[in-house]
Amino acid sequence: MADIQYYGTGRRKTSTARVYLRPGSGNIKVNRRSFETYFPNETLRMIIRQPLRLTENAEKFDVLVNVRGGGSAGQAGAVRHGITRALLDFNSDLRSVLKKEG
């Protein structure tokens, strides 16, 4: 059986993020680096984790991200957008919860 994964593309300002959600334990890798190394700012990490926490999926998926362009804030917004789209690929019923929080 092939590995199940969900994909979403996120954009913000001039940044673009390709996000893959795979069943796992909550690890996040950004451009093959650890999440904490790539985004040392706690506020940006909180922004990125928001859609996973809102839908109570933070511990269910490993997140693999390729992001480029823009600065760190724009990249964080693009990753957040990509995670949201990948979650909608996983379950479209989550749209109302995510939409309400922007």
Side-chain angles (χ1 to χ4, degrees), residues 23-61:
S25 59
N27 292 330
I28 301 176
K29 288 264 192 219
V30 181
N31 292 350
R32 296 186 177 163
R33 290 166 49 192
S34 77
F35 180 52
E36 289 76 15
T37 305
Y38 197 86
F39 289 107
N41 183 329
E42 181 58 41
T43 306
L44 297 179
R45 292 198 302 259
M46 185 183 72
I47 288 168
I48 291 167
R49 286 191 196 107
Q50 187 181 21
L52 292 168
R53 281 199 321 270
L54 282 172
T55 59
E56 299 173 2
N57 286 309
E59 304 301 319
K60 294 180 186 173
F61 293 107

Side-chain angles (χ1 to χ4, degrees), residues 43-96:
T43 306
L44 297 179
R45 292 198 302 259
M46 185 183 72
I47 288 168
I48 291 167
R49 286 191 196 107
Q50 187 181 21
L52 292 168
R53 281 199 321 270
L54 282 172
T55 59
E56 299 173 2
N57 286 309
E59 304 301 319
K60 294 180 186 173
F61 293 107
D62 286 342
V63 182
L64 292 137
V65 181
N66 292 316
V67 64
R68 60 185 332 154
S72 57
Q75 287 189 350
V79 172
R80 176 184 179 216
H81 188 211
I83 289 172
T84 300
R85 284 185 158 180
L87 284 168
L88 292 175
D89 187 28
F90 162 64
N91 181 356
S92 60
D93 296 338
L94 299 173
R95 183 173 171 82
S96 61

